[in-house]
């Protein structure tokens, strides 16, 4: 008899493959000020597949243009009203600790419907060994058009702890896009992750962020402290494809150190200037930001919004119209900064990470 079309474990069948080589990496995407560059093959395939799934009703809600405003103030935080996401999204899973194991009984990505998968990323050829192939799936509760999940093989049932092979695959995905606002990110356990099954996010954010070009204070040869935006972050930089492997390893070593210290983390990769800032003669590359924070298990009473990688980067998706209309920069900063470390603790941690990464 014919084999079943789907394994009994509920693991989605393999979608079409998106094979790419080094020649597909867009080393210098169009800047924000210049004319729009043509979308890359990756952008075209991703956005066409995403729009097709939206037309077919595979998302939890239909995403139209979102009301957006820049809050008055020095940080120019971007508020966005997304009432449907807060009302329709799957409730986040309860997390009890930074080391919660994968739970096969809870929702996980082996349960995705086949049509939610767009393609599998697989690199052919150099430089170096290829990264882990990643499945690209729709995020059924999207923040923006083109919001996807980047999934290492779901059948491996890995918990939401960042690994260097998964991060490197996601960083290559960031370089496959020709859009200056395609960013990839990660929310750790206790840091806003809603599913304890290893995944990263990819999304198009149609505006520049101050953290793309602000200079960082050097902490060591490969580490800086970036104070642009609402929350200070540790900054790593990859000038080009050859540095993605060492940067991925360094970020994951640092994240592991945070976990051992009882701290949660968030990660964002964006195209940006070298750590010294623009005008240093060097071209743009990938900035990778790592935020350290106090872990939060479960919703916090009285919190106006949850704080994960978007909020730390200065983008505030807000759940209600009055909050969107009335929130001030000071109120937003208060909500974000209650999760952060006091300055002496942050600087001590920076010193520890700099020494760790020099060895």
């Amino acid at each position: 008899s014919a084999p079943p079309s789907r394994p009994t474990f509920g693991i989605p069948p393999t979608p079409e493959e998106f094979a790419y080589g080094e020649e597909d990496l867009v080393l210098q995407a169009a800047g924000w000020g210049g004319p729009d560059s043509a979308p890359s093959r990756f952008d075209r395939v991703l956005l066409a597949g995403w729009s097709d799934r939206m037309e077919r009703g595979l998302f939890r809600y239909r995403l139209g243009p979102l009301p957006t405003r820049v809050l008055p103030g020095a940080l120019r935080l971007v508020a966005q009203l997304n009432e449907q996401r807060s009302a329709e999204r799957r409730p986040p899973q309860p997390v009890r600790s930074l080391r919660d194991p994968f739970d096969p009984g809870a929702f996980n990505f082996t349960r995705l419907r086949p049509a939610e998968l767009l393609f599998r990323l697989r690199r052919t050829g150099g430089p170096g060994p290829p990264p882990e192939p990643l499945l690209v799936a729709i995020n059924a509760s999207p923040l923006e058009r083109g919001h996807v999940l980047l999934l290492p093989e779901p059948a491996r049932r890995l918990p939401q702890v960042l690994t260097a092979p998964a991060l490197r695959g996601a960083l290559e995905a960031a370089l496959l896009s020709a859009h200056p606002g395609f960013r990839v990110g990660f929310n750790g356990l206790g840091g806003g992750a809603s599913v304890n099954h290893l995944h990263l996010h990819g999304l198009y954010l149609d505006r520049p962020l101050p953290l793309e070009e602000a200079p960082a204070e050097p902490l060591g040869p490969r580490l800086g402290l970036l104070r642009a935006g609402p929350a200070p972050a540790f900054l790593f930089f990859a000038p080009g494809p050859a540095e993605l492997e060492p940067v991925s390893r360094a970020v994951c070593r640092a994240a592991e150190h945070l976990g051992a210290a009882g701290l949660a983390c968030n990660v964002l990769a964006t195209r940006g200037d070298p750590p010294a800032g623009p005008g240093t003669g060097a071209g743009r590359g990938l900035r990778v930001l790592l935020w350290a924070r106090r872990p939060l298990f479960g919703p916090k009473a009285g919190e106006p919004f949850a704080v994960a990688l978007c909020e730390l980067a200065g983008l505030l998706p807000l759940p209600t119209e009055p909050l969107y209309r009335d929130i001030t920069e000071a109120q937003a900063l208060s909500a974000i900064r209650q999760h952060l470390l006091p300055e002496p603790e942050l600087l001590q941690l920076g010193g520890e990470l700099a020494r760790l990464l020099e060895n």
Side-chain angles (χ1 to χ4, degrees):
S1 63
S5 61
R6 192 162 177 173
T8 52
F9 296 113
I11 296 158
T14 304
E16 62 185 275
E17 193 164 86
F18 185 100
Y20 66 95
E22 190 177 8
E23 68 280 1
D24 291 295
L25 301 179
V26 182
L27 300 185
Q28 293 293 332
W32 289 102
D36 288 346
S37 63
S40 67
R41 181 169 66 99
F42 171 83
D43 295 319
R44 291 194 304 270
V45 171
L46 187 157
L47 291 169
W50 196 94
S51 298
D52 167 72
R53 294 344 184 250
M54 180 61 77
E55 289 303 314
R56 287 158 59 183
L58 288 165
F59 290 81
R60 287 177 166 254
Y61 47 87
R62 193 166 184 85
L63 187 74
L66 297 169
T68 302
R69 74 182 187 97
V70 177
L71 303 190
L75 292 178
R76 297 187 61 73
L77 302 177
V78 178
Q80 215 166 43
L81 178 61
N82 193 338
E83 293 173 295
Q84 290 173 294
R85 178 174 164 85
S86 61
E88 306 287 344
R89 69 180 295 200
R90 182 183 296 107
Q93 291 171 6
V95 175
R96 290 167 294 279
S97 81
L98 297 174
R99 291 187 164 77
D100 271 10
F102 174 84
D103 177 3
F107 172 80
N108 63 77
F109 299 117
T110 67
R111 301 185 185 181
L112 292 179
R113 296 168 289 179
E116 293 181 74
L117 304 177
L118 300 179
F119 49 84
R120 181 189 295 272
L121 280 174
R122 186 175 69 81
R123 178 154 68 69
T124 56
E132 186 163 351
L134 295 178
L135 283 173
V136 179
I138 63 169
N139 185 326
S141 301
L143 285 165
E144 288 273 9
R145 175 172 170 263
H147 186 178
V148 293
L149 301 172
L150 306 172
L151 309 172
E153 178 49 64
R156 291 171 60 199
R157 298 162 186 245
L158 298 170
Q160 183 67 349
V161 175
L162 193 58
T163 68
L167 178 58
R168 182 166 156 235
L171 296 184
E172 289 204 355
L175 290 185
L176 285 170
S177 173
H179 190 294
F182 183 74
R183 279 96 177 202
V184 299
F186 172 84
N187 294 320
L189 294 178
S194 59
V195 177
N196 187 12
H197 191 184
L198 183 54
H199 65 287
L200 294 96
H201 293 266
L203 65 168
Y204 294 85
L205 299 176
D206 265 332
R207 58 186 61 239
L209 297 170
L211 48 74
E212 291 173 35
E213 61 177 29
E217 303 165 18
L219 296 176
R222 292 188 290 278
L223 185 69
L225 180 62
L226 185 67
R227 294 187 182 273
F234 297 111
L235 178 66
F236 302 76
F237 184 70
E243 289 80 23
L244 298 184
E245 172 78 18
V247 163
S248 300
R249 284 200 312 269
V251 172
C252 289
R253 283 186 75 194
E256 193 178 323
H257 183 83
L258 299 189
L263 298 171
C265 73
N266 302 85
V267 175
L268 176 77
T270 180
R271 291 186 186 266
D273 289 293
T280 52
R284 281 164 70 90
L286 274 187
R287 284 187 163 200
V288 185
L289 286 76
L290 171 70
W291 285 279
R293 57 184 289 173
R294 302 242 178 270
L296 178 64
F297 304 119
K300 188 160 185 173
E303 195 173 49
F305 51 82
V307 175
L309 71 93
C310 284
E311 291 79 8
L312 293 168
L315 176 74
L316 313 177
L318 298 174
T320 66
E321 205 281 331
L323 180 63
Y324 167 76
R325 186 186 63 230
D326 298 334
I327 193 167
T328 65
E329 180 180 89
Q331 290 166 335
L333 287 179
S334 171
I336 291 168
R337 289 179 173 166
Q338 64 180 321
H339 298 279
L340 306 181
L341 306 184
E343 179 78 3
E345 207 174 317
L346 179 73
L347 294 176
Q348 181 185 337
L349 182 61
E352 291 170 10
L353 293 179
R355 288 190 294 277
L356 174 78
L357 297 174
E358 279 169 26
N359 296 332

